[in-house]
Amino acid sequence: MESNTMESNEREKYPTPFGVSGLGGWLIFIQIGMFLAIWQTIDSLSKGMQLINSEDWKLLITETSVRYHALWEPLVSFKLLYSFLYLLFIAIILILFYQKKAILPRLMIILFSVATAYSFIELILTYQIPSVQQSENNIMIREFIRSLAFCAIWIPYFLKSERVENTFVR
């Protein structure tokens, strides 16, 4: 008897929404993206730690080295710190995502905005290093443009989607 009362209280507290709801539809792409982001971030952290433990790192931070630049150490430290915090934030978001918490749409907007801001800051700082300016590598520019595109697509989706509104209600 007590179990039925708890279930009815849950149903009253979180009534079944009208229209589409659930973690299907376009939200499948968000789920896939978050798991890919976890994998990419772990890979980035791993590569950053490998760099710090390599001979190349010593060349980048030794003032007498030809490859030295004063920004390398703070830039790599900034990237590692960001990656760790980003990984932690995505893990929290995934938990809240599957719990269908009402705060999730706001957190996703924050995630996309912070990722775009980070991408821009990293781009600006990295291009202050002459050896990077001279290279033809445009990966960071593409990453920044990709972040802008994600914001342009997914922020309005999380603000306007009926599925998002009906799913994240707890």
mmCIF file of all heavy atoms in Angstrom, residues 66-94:
data_model
loop_
_atom_site.group_PDB
_atom_site.id
_atom_site.type_symbol
_atom_site.label_atom_id
_atom_site.label_comp_id
_atom_site.label_asym_id
_atom_site.label_seq_id
_atom_site.Cartn_x
_atom_site.Cartn_y
_atom_site.Cartn_z
ATOM 1 N N VAL A 66 65.717 26.968 -28.360
ATOM 2 C CA VAL A 66 65.210 27.675 -29.537
ATOM 3 C C VAL A 66 63.677 27.629 -29.584
ATOM 4 O O VAL A 66 63.051 28.541 -30.112
ATOM 5 C CB VAL A 66 65.729 27.017 -30.846
ATOM 6 C CG1 VAL A 66 65.949 28.052 -31.925
ATOM 7 C CG2 VAL A 66 66.953 26.180 -30.626
ATOM 8 N N ARG A 67 63.074 26.596 -29.040
ATOM 9 C CA ARG A 67 61.615 26.424 -29.068
ATOM 10 C C ARG A 67 60.920 27.092 -27.885
ATOM 11 O O ARG A 67 59.704 27.060 -27.783
ATOM 12 C CB ARG A 67 61.283 24.928 -29.101
ATOM 13 C CG ARG A 67 61.796 24.280 -30.388
ATOM 14 C CD ARG A 67 61.562 22.809 -30.452
ATOM 15 N NE ARG A 67 60.147 22.511 -30.434
ATOM 16 C CZ ARG A 67 59.649 21.308 -30.160
ATOM 17 N NH1 ARG A 67 60.455 20.316 -29.887
ATOM 18 N NH2 ARG A 67 58.364 21.107 -30.162
ATOM 19 N N TYR A 68 61.689 27.711 -27.011
ATOM 20 C CA TYR A 68 61.111 28.326 -25.805
ATOM 21 C C TYR A 68 60.210 29.503 -26.154
ATOM 22 O O TYR A 68 60.481 30.292 -27.050
ATOM 23 C CB TYR A 68 62.228 28.816 -24.874
ATOM 24 C CG TYR A 68 61.714 29.666 -23.731
ATOM 25 C CD1 TYR A 68 61.151 29.070 -22.611
ATOM 26 C CD2 TYR A 68 61.749 31.060 -23.786
ATOM 27 C CE1 TYR A 68 60.652 29.830 -21.567
ATOM 28 C CE2 TYR A 68 61.255 31.830 -22.753
ATOM 29 C CZ TYR A 68 60.703 31.212 -21.643
ATOM 30 O OH TYR A 68 60.207 31.969 -20.619
ATOM 31 N N HIS A 69 59.129 29.585 -25.411
ATOM 32 C CA HIS A 69 58.296 30.786 -25.382
ATOM 33 C C HIS A 69 57.645 30.830 -24.008
ATOM 34 O O HIS A 69 57.217 29.805 -23.477
ATOM 35 C CB HIS A 69 57.236 30.785 -26.489
ATOM 36 C CG HIS A 69 56.605 32.127 -26.653
ATOM 37 N ND1 HIS A 69 55.610 32.594 -25.833
ATOM 38 C CD2 HIS A 69 56.859 33.116 -27.550
ATOM 39 C CE1 HIS A 69 55.262 33.811 -26.202
ATOM 40 N NE2 HIS A 69 56.009 34.149 -27.251
ATOM 41 N N ALA A 70 57.560 32.024 -23.459
ATOM 42 C CA ALA A 70 57.047 32.192 -22.089
ATOM 43 C C ALA A 70 55.593 31.728 -21.936
ATOM 44 O O ALA A 70 55.164 31.415 -20.825
ATOM 45 C CB ALA A 70 57.178 33.649 -21.659
ATOM 46 N N LEU A 71 54.839 31.674 -23.020
ATOM 47 C CA LEU A 71 53.432 31.279 -22.924
ATOM 48 C C LEU A 71 53.202 29.770 -22.903
ATOM 49 O O LEU A 71 52.106 29.330 -22.558
ATOM 50 C CB LEU A 71 52.634 31.876 -24.092
ATOM 51 C CG LEU A 71 52.190 33.315 -23.932
ATOM 52 C CD1 LEU A 71 51.464 33.785 -25.184
ATOM 53 C CD2 LEU A 71 51.303 33.482 -22.719
ATOM 54 N N TRP A 72 54.197 28.969 -23.291
ATOM 55 C CA TRP A 72 53.962 27.530 -23.363
ATOM 56 C C TRP A 72 53.516 26.938 -22.029
ATOM 57 O O TRP A 72 52.531 26.197 -21.973
ATOM 58 C CB TRP A 72 55.208 26.782 -23.854
ATOM 59 C CG TRP A 72 55.366 26.767 -25.330
ATOM 60 C CD1 TRP A 72 56.449 27.212 -26.035
ATOM 61 C CD2 TRP A 72 54.442 26.281 -26.309
ATOM 62 N NE1 TRP A 72 56.251 27.045 -27.389
ATOM 63 C CE2 TRP A 72 55.017 26.467 -27.588
ATOM 64 C CE3 TRP A 72 53.175 25.711 -26.248
ATOM 65 C CZ2 TRP A 72 54.388 26.102 -28.764
ATOM 66 C CZ3 TRP A 72 52.544 25.347 -27.420
ATOM 67 C CH2 TRP A 72 53.138 25.541 -28.656
ATOM 68 N N GLU A 73 54.227 27.253 -20.972
ATOM 69 C CA GLU A 73 53.893 26.647 -19.674
ATOM 70 C C GLU A 73 52.506 27.061 -19.170
ATOM 71 O O GLU A 73 51.694 26.197 -18.828
ATOM 72 C CB GLU A 73 54.970 26.960 -18.636
ATOM 73 C CG GLU A 73 54.825 26.147 -17.386
ATOM 74 C CD GLU A 73 56.041 26.232 -16.493
ATOM 75 O OE1 GLU A 73 56.920 27.092 -16.711
ATOM 76 O OE2 GLU A 73 56.112 25.422 -15.561
ATOM 77 N N PRO A 74 52.173 28.362 -19.140
ATOM 78 C CA PRO A 74 50.815 28.711 -18.692
ATOM 79 C C PRO A 74 49.725 28.202 -19.635
ATOM 80 O O PRO A 74 48.641 27.823 -19.189
ATOM 81 C CB PRO A 74 50.817 30.241 -18.617
ATOM 82 C CG PRO A 74 52.049 30.691 -19.287
ATOM 83 C CD PRO A 74 52.996 29.541 -19.359
ATOM 84 N N LEU A 75 50.018 28.156 -20.926
ATOM 85 C CA LEU A 75 49.036 27.678 -21.895
ATOM 86 C C LEU A 75 48.725 26.198 -21.689
ATOM 87 O O LEU A 75 47.554 25.802 -21.632
ATOM 88 C CB LEU A 75 49.534 27.916 -23.319
ATOM 89 C CG LEU A 75 48.583 27.534 -24.438
ATOM 90 C CD1 LEU A 75 47.319 28.390 -24.388
ATOM 91 C CD2 LEU A 75 49.266 27.683 -25.786
ATOM 92 N N VAL A 76 49.749 25.381 -21.539
ATOM 93 C CA VAL A 76 49.536 23.947 -21.332
ATOM 94 C C VAL A 76 48.877 23.708 -19.974
ATOM 95 O O VAL A 76 47.972 22.878 -19.845
ATOM 96 C CB VAL A 76 50.862 23.157 -21.479
ATOM 97 C CG1 VAL A 76 50.698 21.714 -21.049
ATOM 98 C CG2 VAL A 76 51.353 23.236 -22.926
ATOM 99 N N SER A 77 49.281 24.459 -18.959
ATOM 100 C CA SER A 77 48.651 24.330 -17.639
ATOM 101 C C SER A 77 47.180 24.709 -17.701
ATOM 102 O O SER A 77 46.325 24.020 -17.133
ATOM 103 C CB SER A 77 49.362 25.222 -16.618
ATOM 104 O OG SER A 77 50.707 24.844 -16.482
ATOM 105 N N PHE A 78 46.876 25.791 -18.393
ATOM 106 C CA PHE A 78 45.495 26.242 -18.580
ATOM 107 C C PHE A 78 44.681 25.168 -19.294
ATOM 108 O O PHE A 78 43.554 24.851 -18.904
ATOM 109 C CB PHE A 78 45.497 27.558 -19.369
ATOM 110 C CG PHE A 78 44.141 28.083 -19.751
ATOM 111 C CD1 PHE A 78 43.227 28.480 -18.786
ATOM 112 C CD2 PHE A 78 43.790 28.211 -21.089
ATOM 113 C CE1 PHE A 78 41.969 28.985 -19.151
ATOM 114 C CE2 PHE A 78 42.556 28.713 -21.460
ATOM 115 C CZ PHE A 78 41.643 29.095 -20.486
ATOM 116 N N LYS A 79 45.255 24.587 -20.338
ATOM 117 C CA LYS A 79 44.565 23.551 -21.111
ATOM 118 C C LYS A 79 44.293 22.316 -20.244
ATOM 119 O O LYS A 79 43.199 21.757 -20.286
ATOM 120 C CB LYS A 79 45.385 23.177 -22.335
ATOM 121 C CG LYS A 79 44.703 22.180 -23.237
ATOM 122 C CD LYS A 79 45.489 21.985 -24.514
ATOM 123 C CE LYS A 79 44.841 21.011 -25.442
ATOM 124 N NZ LYS A 79 43.646 21.499 -26.096
ATOM 125 N N LEU A 80 45.262 21.899 -19.458
ATOM 126 C CA LEU A 80 45.077 20.724 -18.599
ATOM 127 C C LEU A 80 44.024 20.990 -17.518
ATOM 128 O O LEU A 80 43.174 20.136 -17.255
ATOM 129 C CB LEU A 80 46.400 20.296 -17.969
ATOM 130 C CG LEU A 80 47.400 19.641 -18.923
ATOM 131 C CD1 LEU A 80 48.739 19.429 -18.224
ATOM 132 C CD2 LEU A 80 46.861 18.331 -19.460
ATOM 133 N N LEU A 81 44.078 22.158 -16.910
ATOM 134 C CA LEU A 81 43.099 22.504 -15.875
ATOM 135 C C LEU A 81 41.696 22.556 -16.482
ATOM 136 O O LEU A 81 40.748 21.996 -15.928
ATOM 137 C CB LEU A 81 43.448 23.842 -15.224
ATOM 138 C CG LEU A 81 42.450 24.353 -14.180
ATOM 139 C CD1 LEU A 81 42.390 23.388 -12.991
ATOM 140 C CD2 LEU A 81 42.809 25.749 -13.734
ATOM 141 N N TYR A 82 41.568 23.211 -17.623
ATOM 142 C CA TYR A 82 40.277 23.281 -18.295
ATOM 143 C C TYR A 82 39.770 21.880 -18.625
ATOM 144 O O TYR A 82 38.595 21.573 -18.395
ATOM 145 C CB TYR A 82 40.362 24.128 -19.572
ATOM 146 C CG TYR A 82 39.106 24.027 -20.390
ATOM 147 C CD1 TYR A 82 37.976 24.766 -20.058
ATOM 148 C CD2 TYR A 82 39.022 23.150 -21.472
ATOM 149 C CE1 TYR A 82 36.800 24.649 -20.783
ATOM 150 C CE2 TYR A 82 37.854 23.024 -22.201
ATOM 151 C CZ TYR A 82 36.746 23.775 -21.850
ATOM 152 O OH TYR A 82 35.585 23.638 -22.570
ATOM 153 N N SER A 83 40.623 21.045 -19.177
ATOM 154 C CA SER A 83 40.212 19.695 -19.568
ATOM 155 C C SER A 83 39.716 18.897 -18.370
ATOM 156 O O SER A 83 38.703 18.195 -18.460
ATOM 157 C CB SER A 83 41.367 18.950 -20.243
ATOM 158 O OG SER A 83 41.695 19.558 -21.461
ATOM 159 N N PHE A 84 40.407 19.013 -17.259
ATOM 160 C CA PHE A 84 39.982 18.303 -16.053
ATOM 161 C C PHE A 84 38.615 18.809 -15.583
ATOM 162 O O PHE A 84 37.711 18.024 -15.292
ATOM 163 C CB PHE A 84 41.023 18.447 -14.937
ATOM 164 C CG PHE A 84 40.603 17.824 -13.652
ATOM 165 C CD1 PHE A 84 40.619 16.440 -13.492
ATOM 166 C CD2 PHE A 84 40.152 18.615 -12.595
ATOM 167 C CE1 PHE A 84 40.206 15.853 -12.313
ATOM 168 C CE2 PHE A 84 39.726 18.033 -11.412
ATOM 169 C CZ PHE A 84 39.756 16.651 -11.269
ATOM 170 N N LEU A 85 38.444 20.127 -15.515
ATOM 171 C CA LEU A 85 37.170 20.702 -15.073
ATOM 172 C C LEU A 85 36.044 20.399 -16.065
ATOM 173 O O LEU A 85 34.905 20.137 -15.666
ATOM 174 C CB LEU A 85 37.312 22.211 -14.863
ATOM 175 C CG LEU A 85 38.241 22.618 -13.718
ATOM 176 C CD1 LEU A 85 38.430 24.132 -13.699
ATOM 177 C CD2 LEU A 85 37.734 22.109 -12.381
ATOM 178 N N TYR A 86 36.356 20.416 -17.339
ATOM 179 C CA TYR A 86 35.383 20.095 -18.390
ATOM 180 C C TYR A 86 34.913 18.652 -18.244
ATOM 181 O O TYR A 86 33.716 18.373 -18.317
ATOM 182 C CB TYR A 86 36.044 20.333 -19.755
ATOM 183 C CG TYR A 86 35.133 20.159 -20.947
ATOM 184 C CD1 TYR A 86 34.181 21.116 -21.259
ATOM 185 C CD2 TYR A 86 35.265 19.061 -21.787
ATOM 186 C CE1 TYR A 86 33.362 20.974 -22.378
ATOM 187 C CE2 TYR A 86 34.452 18.912 -22.899
ATOM 188 C CZ TYR A 86 33.503 19.870 -23.185
ATOM 189 O OH TYR A 86 32.697 19.726 -24.288
ATOM 190 N N LEU A 87 35.850 17.747 -18.002
ATOM 191 C CA LEU A 87 35.516 16.337 -17.805
ATOM 192 C C LEU A 87 34.603 16.165 -16.595
ATOM 193 O O LEU A 87 33.597 15.456 -16.660
ATOM 194 C CB LEU A 87 36.796 15.523 -17.629
ATOM 195 C CG LEU A 87 36.679 14.014 -17.561
ATOM 196 C CD1 LEU A 87 36.094 13.461 -18.848
ATOM 197 C CD2 LEU A 87 38.045 13.405 -17.299
ATOM 198 N N LEU A 88 34.926 16.834 -15.527
ATOM 199 C CA LEU A 88 34.104 16.785 -14.314
ATOM 200 C C LEU A 88 32.704 17.343 -14.586
ATOM 201 O O LEU A 88 31.697 16.745 -14.191
ATOM 202 C CB LEU A 88 34.789 17.578 -13.200
ATOM 203 C CG LEU A 88 34.160 17.567 -11.830
ATOM 204 C CD1 LEU A 88 34.164 16.152 -11.245
ATOM 205 C CD2 LEU A 88 34.905 18.515 -10.910
ATOM 206 N N PHE A 89 32.619 18.456 -15.287
ATOM 207 C CA PHE A 89 31.334 19.089 -15.599
ATOM 208 C C PHE A 89 30.479 18.194 -16.490
ATOM 209 O O PHE A 89 29.275 18.050 -16.271
ATOM 210 C CB PHE A 89 31.586 20.456 -16.250
ATOM 211 C CG PHE A 89 30.379 21.348 -16.311
ATOM 212 C CD1 PHE A 89 29.576 21.569 -15.200
ATOM 213 C CD2 PHE A 89 30.052 22.003 -17.490
ATOM 214 C CE1 PHE A 89 28.468 22.407 -15.264
ATOM 215 C CE2 PHE A 89 28.947 22.848 -17.560
ATOM 216 C CZ PHE A 89 28.156 23.042 -16.440
ATOM 217 N N ILE A 90 31.098 17.556 -17.480
ATOM 218 C CA ILE A 90 30.344 16.657 -18.352
ATOM 219 C C ILE A 90 29.820 15.463 -17.558
ATOM 220 O O ILE A 90 28.689 15.019 -17.781
ATOM 221 C CB ILE A 90 31.186 16.198 -19.556
ATOM 222 C CG1 ILE A 90 31.374 17.356 -20.522
ATOM 223 C CG2 ILE A 90 30.519 15.030 -20.278
ATOM 224 C CD1 ILE A 90 32.223 17.031 -21.719
ATOM 225 N N ALA A 91 30.632 14.942 -16.645
ATOM 226 C CA ALA A 91 30.182 13.809 -15.821
ATOM 227 C C ALA A 91 28.960 14.212 -14.995
ATOM 228 O O ALA A 91 27.970 13.459 -14.920
ATOM 229 C CB ALA A 91 31.308 13.329 -14.916
ATOM 230 N N ILE A 92 28.990 15.397 -14.413
ATOM 231 C CA ILE A 92 27.846 15.893 -13.638
ATOM 232 C C ILE A 92 26.633 16.061 -14.548
ATOM 233 O O ILE A 92 25.515 15.664 -14.204
ATOM 234 C CB ILE A 92 28.204 17.221 -12.932
ATOM 235 C CG1 ILE A 92 29.233 16.964 -11.827
ATOM 236 C CG2 ILE A 92 26.963 17.907 -12.373
ATOM 237 C CD1 ILE A 92 29.892 18.214 -11.284
ATOM 238 N N ILE A 93 26.856 16.640 -15.715
ATOM 239 C CA ILE A 93 25.760 16.848 -16.666
ATOM 240 C C ILE A 93 25.147 15.512 -17.084
ATOM 241 O O ILE A 93 23.926 15.387 -17.176
ATOM 242 C CB ILE A 93 26.239 17.658 -17.886
ATOM 243 C CG1 ILE A 93 26.384 19.129 -17.486
ATOM 244 C CG2 ILE A 93 25.283 17.522 -19.064
ATOM 245 C CD1 ILE A 93 26.923 20.028 -18.565
ATOM 246 N N LEU A 94 25.962 14.517 -17.343
ATOM 247 C CA LEU A 94 25.427 13.209 -17.736
ATOM 248 C C LEU A 94 24.547 12.616 -16.640
ATOM 249 O O LEU A 94 23.483 12.058 -16.931
ATOM 250 C CB LEU A 94 26.562 12.238 -18.069
ATOM 251 C CG LEU A 94 26.971 12.188 -19.521
ATOM 252 C CD1 LEU A 94 28.205 11.311 -19.705
ATOM 253 C CD2 LEU A 94 25.854 11.714 -20.410
#
